[in-house]
């Protein structure tokens, strides 16, 4: 995805802490990364610059200091990073987890870049969520999950009581969980029951086809509180659904803990969620272009939940 990180940046007056975005990676050989997300409020790119090393946290901060200085002074921090020869440097799309060059956005063949591949394969779903939150802080925007927790009322367009809700229909925007397989783009939509006094404990993961547009979904996976799973493919979609479920588990090795954290949040806010009717027909899919003509996906435009009356 082309984005504005190499252009002159028009930003809010945001300065991150000197070590904000530094994370230690799990693995047999210690590794550290320093993440810089695009700070331009007008840029919709979902890319993050990764600086990495096996030489320890302090050396990472020392060697990458010029990049943070460039980020804070709204200059071309990607070019500064690309000139470093003592750090591993690349871009990652925080939604699809695709890896690209720090300068020209060209996708990288990880087979030809084993050092980058080693780092990229350690960036799991939990860390991607943290990077998504950093993406918001870097632009000077409030965290969507915190906004929802503080909202007195949450409007979900087209939702009817009794239906399950996708996590990113409520906490919109931290990151989309996208998967690329055989040239197709899929989204894993985690569905939760928002009824406060229901103790079903189930989470449904719908694997929806984003591109090509109009292609059917592969189906869904039902995960029970016990961890037991049930694969429910759509017609002729079992093989692809199993591939997607395998990819989901690889990206989210701690997915049961992820569900266990999100489940009570959805219950806590459930009583404050209200559905409003759609003023359009026929029904618009979450990943369809918005009928308003904005060029955005419906779920990221008129289909966004509305958080009102903040406490």
């Amino acid at each position: 995805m082309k984005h504005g990180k190499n252009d002159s940046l028009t930003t809010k007056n945001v300065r991150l802490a000197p070590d904000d975005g530094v994370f230690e990676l799990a693995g047999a050989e210690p590794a550290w990364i320093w993440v810089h997300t695009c700070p331009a409020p007008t840029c919709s790119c979902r890319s993050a610059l990764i600086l990495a090393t096996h030489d320890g946290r302090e050396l990472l901060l020392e060697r990458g200091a010029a990049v943070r200085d460039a980020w804070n002074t709204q200059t071309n921090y990607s070019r500064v990073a690309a000139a470093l020869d003592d750090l591993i440097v690349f871009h990652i799309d925080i939604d699809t987890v695709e890896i690209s060059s720090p300068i020209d956005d060209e996708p990288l063949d990880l087979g030809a870049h084993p050092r980058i591949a080693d780092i990229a394969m350690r960036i799991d779903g939990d860390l991607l969520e943290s990077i998504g939150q950093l993406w918001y802080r870097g632009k000077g925007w409030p965290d969507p999950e915190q906004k929802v927790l503080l909202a007195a009322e949450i409007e979900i367009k087209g939702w009817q009581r009794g239906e399950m809700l996708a996590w990113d229909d409520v906490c919109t925007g931290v990151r989309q969980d996208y998967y690329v397989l055989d040239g197709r783009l899929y989204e894993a939509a985690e569905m939760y029951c928002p009824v406060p006094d229901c103790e079903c404990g189930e989470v449904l993961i719908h694997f929806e086809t984003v591109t090509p547009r109009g292609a059917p979904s592969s189906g869904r996976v039902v995960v029970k509180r016990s961890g037991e799973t049930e694969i429910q493919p759509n017609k002729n979609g079992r093989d692809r659904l199993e591939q997607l479920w395998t990819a989901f588990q690889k990206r989210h090795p701690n997915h049961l803990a992820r569900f266990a954290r999100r489940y009570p949040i959805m219950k806590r806010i459930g009583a404050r969620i209200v559905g409003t009717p759609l003023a359009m027909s026929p029904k618009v899919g979450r990943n369809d272009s918005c009928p308003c003509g904005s060029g955005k996906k419906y779920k990221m435009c008129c289909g966004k939940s509305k958080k009102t009356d903040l406490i």
Side-chain angles (χ1 to χ4, degrees), residues 12 14 69 102 138 185 199 205 207 251 256 268 275 280:
K12 297 180 179 181
V14 177
D69 289 343
L185 182 64
E199 298 182 359
I205 302 94
F207 289 95
R251 181 176 295 177
L256 293 180
R268 191 187 320 163
M280 57 191 68

Side-chain angles (χ1 to χ4, degrees), residues 24 55 58 66 93 112 168 176 195 215 217 268 273:
E24 183 176 11
D55 296 333
E58 296 309 313
D93 185 294
D168 66 354
Q176 308 297 309
V195 180
S217 69
R268 191 187 320 163
I273 298 175

Side-chain angles (χ1 to χ4, degrees), residues 234-250:
N234 286 342
K235 185 178 181 181
N236 301 322
R238 175 170 286 275
D239 288 346
R240 180 47 50 95
L241 181 58
E242 289 180 345
Q243 286 180 303
L244 288 165
W245 178 234
T246 297
F248 183 94
Q249 293 176 92
K250 183 177 180 181

Side-chain angles (χ1 to χ4, degrees), residues 28-46:
E29 183 182 6
W32 291 84
I33 64 171
W34 198 356
V35 183
H36 294 74
T37 59
C38 175
T42 57
C43 179
S44 61
C45 79
R46 303 290 284 171

Side-chain angles (χ1 to χ4, degrees), residues 69-124:
D69 289 343
W71 191 97
N72 276 328
T73 56
Q74 305 178 29
T75 52
N76 200 318
Y77 62 94
S78 290
R79 288 199 178 277
V80 175
L84 300 175
D85 57 10
D86 50 3
L87 291 176
I88 302 165
V89 181
F90 59 92
H91 275 122
I92 186 170
D93 185 294
I94 66 174
D95 295 328
T96 65
V97 201
E98 291 184 297
I99 306 302
S100 59
S101 162
I103 291 298
D104 56 16
D105 269 347
E106 288 299 315
L108 293 179
D109 177 4
L110 293 184
H113 299 275
R115 296 173 70 221
I116 292 177
D118 171 66
I119 298 298
M121 292 180 67
R122 299 201 214 179
I123 300 177
D124 63 13

Side-chain angles (χ1 to χ4, degrees), residues 262-281:
R262 290 182 166 186
Y263 187 85
I265 292 175
M266 191 69 84
K267 297 293 187 184
R268 191 187 320 163
I269 65 176
R272 292 180 272 140
I273 298 175
V274 296
T276 58
L278 292 175
M280 57 191 68
S281 182

Side-chain angles (χ1 to χ4, degrees), residues 39-61:
T42 57
C43 179
S44 61
C45 79
R46 303 290 284 171
S47 185
L49 176 72
I50 306 292
L51 312 178
T53 185
H54 296 285
D55 296 333
R57 183 178 186 277
E58 296 309 313
L59 280 176
L60 175 62
L61 289 170

Side-chain angles (χ1 to χ4, degrees), residues 180-202:
V180 180
L181 287 177
D182 299 330
R184 292 193 169 202
L185 182 64
Y186 301 87
E187 179 184 9
E190 295 174 24
M191 311 292 292
Y192 295 83
C193 171
V195 180
D197 56 358
C198 176
E199 298 182 359
C200 64
E202 291 185 346

